């Protein structure tokens, strides 16, 4: 079918008027190109890298086991030497506890001298005696230096 007044002719199948244009190589072809190029060596082979990693890991674990063995033997020696002198340390602490108890008994006698029926050193609790906690002994020594630490200052 044609268009009016001499306009261009329209085809029923538009693809007939379109011809495919294909790019082709220039005469003589394209220049050759190298995909990889001359890059030289790229490093050691994979087996060498893995060998180095495994060797370094094995050496590190060996050093770790040797260090742990030395540390264990040093700790054992220190523990055994402490156990050897432990009876002497306990005896010294018992002597310090007895001296501290005597001092506290004297203080209690002095403080409670005007209270009738008060027996100094008598246990006011129903449980048996336990040795004082070392940290509390130092706290008591700090407070004992100041006699007025618990009095009202009003």
């Amino acid at each position: 079918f044609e268009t009016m007044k001499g306009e261009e002719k329209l085809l029923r199948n538009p693809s007939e008027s379109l011809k495919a244009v294909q790019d082709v190589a220039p005469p003589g072809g394209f220049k050759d190109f190298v995909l990889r190029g001359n890059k030289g060596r790229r490093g050691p082979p994979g087996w060498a890298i893995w060998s180095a990693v495994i060797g370094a890991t094995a050496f590190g674990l060996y050093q770790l086991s040797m260090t742990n063995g030395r540390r264990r033997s040093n700790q054992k020696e220190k523990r055994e030497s402490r156990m050897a002198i432990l009876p002497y340390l306990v005896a010294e602490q018992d002597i310090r506890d007895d001296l501290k108890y005597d001092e506290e008994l004297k203080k209690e006698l002095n403080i409670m001298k005007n209270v009738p029926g008060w027996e100094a050193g008598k246990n006011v609790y129903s449980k048996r005696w336990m040795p004082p906690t070392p940290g509390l002994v130092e706290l008591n020594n700090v407070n004992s230096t100041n006699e007025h630490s618990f009095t009202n200052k009003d």
Side-chain angles (χ1 to χ4, degrees):
F1 98 112
E2 292 186 323
T3 58
M4 294 190 257
K5 297 184 182 176
E7 292 180 273
E8 63 189 28
K9 186 176 181 185
L10 294 177
L11 301 173
R12 287 186 187 252
N13 189 356
S15 64
E16 290 176 5
S17 65
L18 301 175
K19 293 196 176 185
V21 179
Q22 182 175 0
D23 285 341
V24 292
F30 291 109
K31 287 197 282 184
D32 289 338
F33 60 94
V34 179
L35 290 176
R36 182 168 176 176
N38 188 10
K39 294 183 181 178
R41 284 188 55 112
R42 295 184 58 195
W47 64 266
I49 294 173
W50 279 107
S51 298
V53 168
I54 290 170
T57 303
F59 178 72
L61 290 174
Y62 171 75
Q63 289 292 333
L64 183 67
S65 67
M66 301 300 344
T67 302
N68 285 342
R70 282 193 301 272
R71 184 180 299 139
R72 262 193 312 274
S73 68
N74 288 341
Q75 287 174 346
K76 181 180 178 185
E77 181 181 351
K78 187 183 284 188
R79 187 171 48 249
E80 288 175 352
S81 64
R82 287 179 180 174
M83 288 171 53
I85 64 170
L86 186 64
Y88 300 107
L89 296 175
V90 170
E92 287 178 357
Q93 185 63 42
D94 289 344
I95 292 170
R96 283 193 294 270
D97 290 343
D98 287 343
L99 292 174
K100 183 68 177 171
Y101 179 75
D102 291 342
E103 288 176 18
E104 289 174 357
L105 192 61
K106 289 178 186 175
K107 283 183 186 179
E108 184 180 353
L109 281 172
N110 187 25
I111 292 171
M112 302 301 283
K113 63 184 171 188
N114 296 331
V115 178
W118 183 265
E119 295 178 24
K122 182 180 176 189
N123 190 3
V124 295
Y125 302 104
S126 61
K127 293 186 179 179
R128 64 184 177 93
W129 181 84
M130 296 293 290
T133 306
L136 295 177
V137 172
E138 282 81 23
L139 288 176
N140 288 338
N141 289 338
V142 170
N143 290 336
S144 65
T145 58
N146 185 4
E147 292 180 2
H148 305 289
S149 61
F150 295 107
T151 58
N152 290 335
K153 298 199 177 181
D154 294 337

